[in-house]
DNA sequence: ATGAAAGCGCTAACAT
DNA sequence: ATGTTAGCGCTTTCAT
């Protein structure tokens, strides 16, 4: 295919309005030092000609690229897509991030990078060199990858770290994991549960720990023991099966289980079914994520809703603000999720004796 | 934030290798007229310095942008995201399209455009002017929108039309809707069904008609009547409820229903439950899409799997080929889907008499 | 087979 | 408040 040239350029607008290129540029970028009447005249020409600045040219002259790069873990994301378990993390990121970008005239470009690869840094460097994004959004586990964080910091590219409490660099945002875990625990305690088990996520994710912290804190407040109630998990269905078997097969099993992912909650439900344990009659289950499928199980699962879209949206806003010179927030932005109550939680079975 | 300059440019590489900019450019673009030894030397410098060409600069000088624009319907896509019904169309497009793009060094940018808006053309023009994409992927209903198709054709941008049989312009790809409908119908006929109802999708989508065609054709082959068996639908749950009520409430109701979307199939299942009709004992259901949730219903739904990822992948390949001068395919590319059999289909109830 | 020069569309820096 | 100039990083001419 032949070369494609811009049909309407800043030159055309300048000629049409009878002003210099610079004035047009000033109008486009909302810069000061343009008389209102001048601005109007230029805007009229822009509208008339249907002029839209070329992002490539803008970027070339040292300005913004109007591109925000969203980085997700390759392995996990592809597994989610292929698995077709209805994991809608990416959709929700697009919903929040892309739409917010559009409001500001930015675009979001999605990129997969493998955290466990030796080439992470090279991959990221390549993406940055090729696209010259104005900002980067990191999701777990990238958010706490020192190689990635260090590179971005060094290159002075504003970046958001979703699911991280941050540190010296970047803009940290969390979905209030500790608070969510506390609310889930509180919900179960309020229903009368005393023995509440917890299946954590992969230790590679900081948020896994925070959720455990939340559960422990709320249990402590209610003066409830947690011994033998913390299983092991890594977000996957398989790990959920093992964890649920472990918890439910113990001498003094819990009457409620909080799982750090829908997949593990689904696994817990399945294990309970296998063991002839009625949900929610004999066992209550709360899950994390609230992906679409949890509404279709029998019973539907009570779940912590992760505000992914809202968080992505905030990340975009914060990046654009940073790009415009806003100071780096000192505290992590905490976007609070909700607890959606469904059929999997109820009062515990009546104790036979004290 | 200050201006961000490319850290390693073609100049650095040229200096390091001791050649002209031009030679480096030739190596990058795999152009002829470079001695192998020269090429090696340049490549060594590129690797050493970690050089990656700036897409913006490449685009500026009249070359490719390495950007492919995927256009989805705004209203529908946002509704899917917000609805959180597990519609994973976007995920599957990314899975197929993005990964294929990556293979060729391209990026996919996702954009929402409102087909029903008077400004479609302006919106699209703006996106094209801003991004200068090397190709565009259209999904229904954009694929058959004459305004969009016309604009793209006129601008000589290679574009794929998913879910369209095409016409004078663009590269048409279908998911073999007619064939899939035939296979679904055949599956039910083989089980012994004679009265098979059909709930079509929105008439705004050409593929809705093709599916009806497939069903009618297969019914005709088996010498079965279709009178009173075609309902009305528009893909939504609500329309599915109305259609299912209509079909199941008729004097001579079908023993099987094919729904053109999972949502309508879900609705049919719900209506059957309300009416005390056992699935699959008294009624078989086949759905279209095979989104994640259909595995979690009771019973799980037999479904036509739409090869979205594969189709997006093919679209990218065809666009890149076109961009490199390949002739436009004369026939639509047909990517065949599969029929996933689950618990919602079985033999019809035994007839009381003839 | 290689190099030099011109220019893509835009903005930063410097005039006026 | 507006205009002029230079140059971003690269590819396309057009030399050699």
């Amino acid at each position: 295919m032949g070369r494609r040239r811009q049909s309407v350029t800043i030159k055309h607008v300048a000629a049409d309005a009878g002003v210099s290129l610079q004035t047009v540029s000033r109008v486009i970028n909302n810069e000061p030092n343009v008389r209102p009447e001048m601005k109007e005249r230029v805007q009229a020409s822009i509208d008339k000609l249907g002029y839209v600045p070329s992002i490539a040219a803008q970027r070339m002259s040292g300005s913004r690229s109007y591109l925000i790069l969203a980085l997700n873990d390759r392995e996990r994301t592809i597994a989610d897509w292929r698995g077709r378990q209805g994991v809608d993390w990416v959709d929700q990121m697009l919903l929040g991030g892309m739409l917010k970008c559009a409001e500001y005239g930015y675009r979001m470009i999605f990129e997969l990078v493998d955290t466990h690869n030796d080439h992470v840094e090279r991959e990221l460097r390549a993406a940055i060199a090729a696209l010259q994004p104005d900002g980067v959004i990191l999701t777990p586990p990238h958010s706490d990858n020192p190689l990635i964080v260090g590179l971005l910091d060094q290159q002075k590219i504003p970046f958001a770290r979703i699911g991280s409490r941050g540190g010296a660099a970047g803009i940290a945002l969390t979905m209030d994991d500790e608070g969510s875990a506390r609310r889930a625990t509180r919900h179960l305690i309020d229903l009368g549960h005393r023995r509440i088990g917890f299946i954590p996520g992969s230790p590679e994710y900081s948020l896994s720990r925070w959720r455990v912290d939340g559960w422990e804190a709320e249990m402590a407040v209610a003066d409830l023991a947690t011994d033998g109630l913390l299983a092991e998990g890594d977000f996957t269905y398989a790990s959920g099966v093992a964890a649920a078997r472990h918890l439910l097969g113990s001498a003094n099993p819990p009457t409620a289980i909080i799982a750090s992912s829908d997949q593990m909650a689904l696994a817990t439900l399945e294990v309970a079914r296998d063991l002839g344990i009625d949900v929610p009659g004999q066992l209550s289950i709360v899950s994390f994520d609230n992906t679409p499928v949890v509404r279709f199980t029998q019973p539907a699962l009570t779940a912590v809703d992760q505000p992914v879209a809202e968080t992505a949206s905030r990340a975009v806003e914060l990046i654009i603000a940073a790009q415009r010179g806003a100071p780096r927030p000192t505290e992590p932005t905490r976007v609070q999720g909700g607890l959606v109550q469904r059929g999997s939680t109820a009062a515990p079975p009546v104790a036979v004796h004290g």
Side-chain angles (χ1 to χ4, degrees), chain A residues 146-171:
Chain A
L147 255 50
I148 295 178
V149 169
L151 177 59
L152 257 17
D153 187 38
Q154 172 217 318
Q155 301 236 350
K156 300 236 171 60
I157 299 176
F159 65 105
R161 303 167 68 178
I162 293 181
S164 167
R165 288 190 179 162
I171 303 161

Side-chain angles (χ1 to χ4, degrees), chain A residues 299-320:
Chain A
L301 300 179
T302 291
V304 170
D305 184 67
Q306 296 282 85
V308 177
E310 171 68 12
T311 306
S313 172
R314 295 293 295 279
V316 168
E317 283 180 330
L318 290 167
I319 284 174
I320 293 176

Side-chain angles (χ1 to χ4, degrees), chain A residues 260-329:
Chain A
S260 276
S261 77
D262 283 342
Q263 287 303 306
M264 297 194 298
L266 254 30
T268 304
L269 188 61
E270 187 60 29
V271 168
R273 186 167 298 146
D274 285 351
L275 297 175
I277 298 172
D278 180 61
V279 175
Q282 296 170 277
L283 177 71
S284 285
I285 299 177
V286 178
S287 84
F288 262 84
D289 287 349
N290 194 31
T291 52
V293 291
V294 301
R295 281 182 291 188
F296 290 88
T297 54
Q298 301 284 352
L301 300 179
T302 291
V304 170
D305 184 67
Q306 296 282 85
V308 177
E310 171 68 12
T311 306
S313 172
R314 295 293 295 279
V316 168
E317 283 180 330
L318 290 167
I319 284 174
I320 293 176
Q323 226 235 161
R324 295 180 177 174
R328 202 172 77 91

